[in-house]
Amino acid sequence: MRQFSILLVFVVAFGGAAVLYEQESRKVKGVLSQITDLQAKLGDMQAEINRLNAELEAVKLADRRRPNLNTIASRVLKNAPAEPSAPASQPPSGTRSRGLVAGDVTTTGPAIRANKSESDDSEWARPTVDAEAYEVQSEADTPIADPYQ
C-alpha cells in the first residue's frame, strides 16, 4: 500500500507537471505566432518604405528636370525689378492696346449684296482667273505703267 501511495503521488505530480507544461506551451506558441505576424507586418512596412523612397527619388529627379510652380514663382520674384514698370493704364507707344475697339463689336454688311448697284463690268465683278490669263486680259484692255521700270 505504501507503494500505491508513492505511485499515486508520482502520477499526480507528473500529471500536474504535464498540465502546467501544456499551458505554458500554448502561451509560448501564441507569443511565437504573434512574433511571426509582427515580422510579416515589418516586412510589408519595409517594402512600403522602399517604394515610397523610390517614389521620392523619382519626384526629386523630375523636380530637377522640370521645376514646380513654387520654384518658378520664387525665381520670378528673385529676378523681378525693384521699381514697378510703366503704369498699366497707358500702353507702351507703338503698340495697340488689347481692349475692345469699335470694329470688334459693330456688325458689317452682308458679303453678298442683293442689288447690283456697282458696275458689272468692273475688274472686281469678273470671276477669278489664272495669273497668266489675267496678264493677257489686262494687256489687251489697257497697258498699265509699272512705276518701278
Side-chain angles (χ1 to χ4, degrees):
M1 191 69 176
R2 188 172 172 124
Q3 293 175 347
F4 180 72
S5 63
I6 293 175
L7 185 64
L8 185 62
V9 168
F10 277 122
V11 168
V12 170
F14 282 120
V19 169
L20 290 176
Y21 176 78
E22 182 68 26
Q23 288 177 350
E24 293 299 318
S25 170
R26 287 184 183 170
K27 288 180 185 177
V28 169
K29 286 180 183 177
V31 170
L32 288 176
S33 66
Q34 286 178 350
I35 290 173
T36 306
D37 290 341
L38 290 174
Q39 285 176 338
K41 288 180 183 178
L42 180 66
D44 293 343
M45 292 174 111
Q46 190 63 42
E48 184 72 14
I49 288 170
N50 290 341
R51 185 188 66 81
L52 290 174
N53 281 338
E55 188 175 326
L56 179 64
E57 289 300 319
V59 167
K60 285 181 181 178
L61 184 63
D63 192 29
R64 275 186 260 153
R65 288 188 197 145
R66 177 188 40 84
N68 63 11
L69 290 177
N70 290 334
T71 308
I72 294 171
S74 65
R75 284 183 195 163
V76 168
L77 289 176
K78 287 177 186 175
N79 295 336
E83 72 248 357
S85 60
S89 62
Q90 296 177 348
S93 62
T95 60
R96 183 178 162 197
S97 86
R98 295 278 179 184
L100 286 177
V101 293
D104 293 337
V105 292
T106 57
T107 59
T108 60
I112 301 173
R113 290 183 170 67
N115 58 354
K116 302 257 182 177
S117 62
E118 297 178 2
S119 169
D120 285 338
D121 60 347
S122 71
E123 181 179 356
W124 300 104
R126 287 186 259 159
T128 57
V129 292
D130 291 334
E132 293 87 18
Y134 179 75
E135 287 177 7
V136 171
Q137 285 178 350
S138 64
E139 287 175 6
D141 293 339
T142 56
I144 300 173
D146 189 2
Y148 295 107
Q149 288 182 355

